[in-house]
């Protein structure tokens, strides 16, 4: 059933105007209405183009009455549904629009990406339930387990390959051996996530604002879902190892970072929203290989090598670009597209988008400060030696 008659009063609190409650004894039609020229409450008239999905119904084009304080039209994503009696004729619709008590105002919103009906009166769980179809759930489950298997495979391969390139690997203490292999699969995921994110953000039209009409925050695909699912598998694996061996593999800051990342990515995967911003954050993982290489060189006794110094410079520049400047772009994009951000359909996702990125940005700035201090210390030491 498309309409939920009990939701009318709650929907009015969301700035959705209802002229009357619907009579459940009447058979209703649903018109798909888009308001391309509606710009605000000061506009006197607007044109609405309606196309009825029901059979044997003539598409209708009509003019809306003047907008008054008693008649408010929500601007969620410029696609609306209007419920009218099935018995209403085309002539009656044009002549009696919004003048008879059996008319209901715009009730629910329709996602233009896939035709789903979204209920703004709920807390968003209906949206997640609608997006999490059985086929999607199976694909997500496989992708999460795929991410876990990816981590396990990379972990074991690191233990096999490392002795071939570093003879001292077999002499490492158990804690160092564990961290060495852990950083192996974190490096692999970082490259996988960064390359995948760049592919969706730059080399496809998935988030090209000129290529598609649907809102940027509502865009997703089976492939992008798979990338997010595999990243969830990685963060689960790494977080489990951090907690199990705490504090060998990292302190509370790593637990907080992984926990926040999991919380945000899982919400985006379940709802199908804000994947554009999630992929931007995932791309920042491109700095992880430089961080891990620095640790590898330190353990291998190569802190005075040229490679160690060059990696430090690369890590500094990469962190500045990917985790500082890119976050500036992130916040600028959110600010300039806040009309879309404001249309995230469930409160938890909306406030997550507004709170978690700033927290990650603060952590990135803290780590950037430590990286800068380490680089200056290394450069000063090399200068004195020369």
């Amino acid at each position: 059933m498309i309409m939920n008659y009990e939701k009318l009063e709650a929907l009015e609190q969301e700035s959705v105007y209802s002229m009357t409650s619907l009579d459940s004894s009447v058979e209703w039609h649903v018109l798909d209405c888009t308001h391309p020229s509606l710009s605000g409450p000061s506009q006197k008239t607007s044109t609405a183009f309606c196309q009825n999905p029901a059979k044997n119904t003539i598409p209708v084009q009509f003019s809306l009455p003047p907008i008054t304080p008693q008649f408010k039209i929500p601007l969620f994503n410029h696609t609306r549904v209007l419920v009218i009696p099935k018995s209403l004729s085309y002539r009656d619709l044009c002549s009696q629009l919004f003048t008879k008590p059996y008319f209901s105002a715009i009730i629910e919103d329709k996602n233009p990406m896939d035709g789903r009906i979204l209920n703004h009166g709920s807390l968003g769980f209906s949206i997640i339930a609608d997006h999490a179809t059985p086929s999607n759930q199976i694909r997500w489950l496989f992708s999460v387990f795929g991410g876990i298997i990816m981590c396990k495979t990379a972990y074991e391969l690191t233990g096999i390959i490392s002795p071939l390139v570093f003879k001292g690997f077999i002499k490492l203490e158990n804690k160092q051996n564990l961290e060495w292999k852990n950083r192996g699969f974190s490096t692999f995921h970082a490259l996988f996530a960064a390359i995948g994110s760049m592919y969706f953000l730059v080399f496809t039209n998935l988030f090209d604002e000129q290529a598609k009409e649907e809102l940027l925050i509502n865009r997703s695909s089976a492939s992008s879902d798979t990338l997010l699912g595999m990243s969830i598998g990685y963060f689960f694996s790494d977080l489990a190892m951090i907690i199990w061996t705490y504090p060998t593999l990292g302190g509370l800051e790593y637990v907080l970072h992984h926990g926040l990342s999991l919380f945000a990515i899982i919400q985006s995967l379940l709802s199908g929203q804000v994947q554009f911003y999630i992929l931007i954050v995932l791309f920042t993982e491109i700095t992880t290989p430089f961080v891990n290489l620095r640790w590898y060189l330190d353990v291998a006794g190569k802190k005075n090598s040229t490679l160690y110094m060059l990696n430090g410079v690369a890590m500094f520049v990469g962190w500045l670009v990917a985790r500082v400047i890119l976050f500036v772009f992130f916040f600028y994009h959110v600010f300039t597209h806040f009309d879309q951000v404001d249309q995230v359909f469930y409160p938890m996702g909306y406030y997550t988008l507004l709170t978690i990125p700033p927290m990650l940005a603060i952590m990135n700035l803290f780590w950037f400060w430590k990286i800068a201090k380490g680089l200056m210390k290394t450069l000063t030491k090399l200068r004195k030696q020369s």
Side-chain angles (χ1 to χ4, degrees), residues 243-257:
I243 295 175
W244 184 260
T245 62
Y246 188 86
T248 301
L249 296 178
L252 288 176
E253 67 274 15
Y254 288 95
V255 175
L256 178 62
H257 174 272

Side-chain angles (χ1 to χ4, degrees), residues 319-337:
W319 201 281
L320 175 64
V321 173
R323 292 186 182 256
V324 178
I325 296 177
L326 187 59
F327 262 85
V328 174
F329 167 77
F330 179 100
F331 295 124
Y332 171 78
H333 194 280
V334 169
F335 177 77
T336 57
H337 292 75

Side-chain angles (χ1 to χ4, degrees), residues 35-46 64-69 71-75 78:
H35 304 269
S37 60
L38 190 60
S39 60
S42 62
Q43 189 169 332
K44 297 300 181 183
T45 60
S46 300
L64 293 173
I67 299 175
T68 66
F71 183 78
K72 295 187 294 182
I73 295 181
L75 296 175
H78 310 288

Side-chain angles (χ1 to χ4, degrees), residues 71-145:
F71 183 78
K72 295 187 294 182
I73 295 181
L75 296 175
F76 289 112
N77 72 358
H78 310 288
T79 306
R80 305 290 177 261
V81 295
L82 176 67
V83 180
I84 64 171
K86 183 176 180 180
S87 60
L88 188 68
S89 66
Y90 171 81
R91 179 175 297 179
D92 289 338
L93 176 62
C94 294
S95 62
Q96 302 175 10
L97 183 64
F98 296 112
T99 62
K100 295 295 183 180
Y102 49 64
F103 270 100
S104 170
I106 299 155
I107 305 300
E108 292 181 340
D109 195 19
K110 183 177 180 182
N111 188 331
M113 180 172 63
D114 56 11
R116 294 170 295 168
I117 299 297
L118 303 178
N119 186 348
H120 291 283
S122 69
L123 293 177
F125 295 108
S126 61
I127 299 166
I128 292 177
D130 188 65
H131 181 63
T133 61
S135 60
N136 281 345
Q137 292 180 42
I138 294 173
R139 186 174 65 250
W140 298 342
L141 191 62
F142 272 101
S143 62
V144 171
F145 277 107

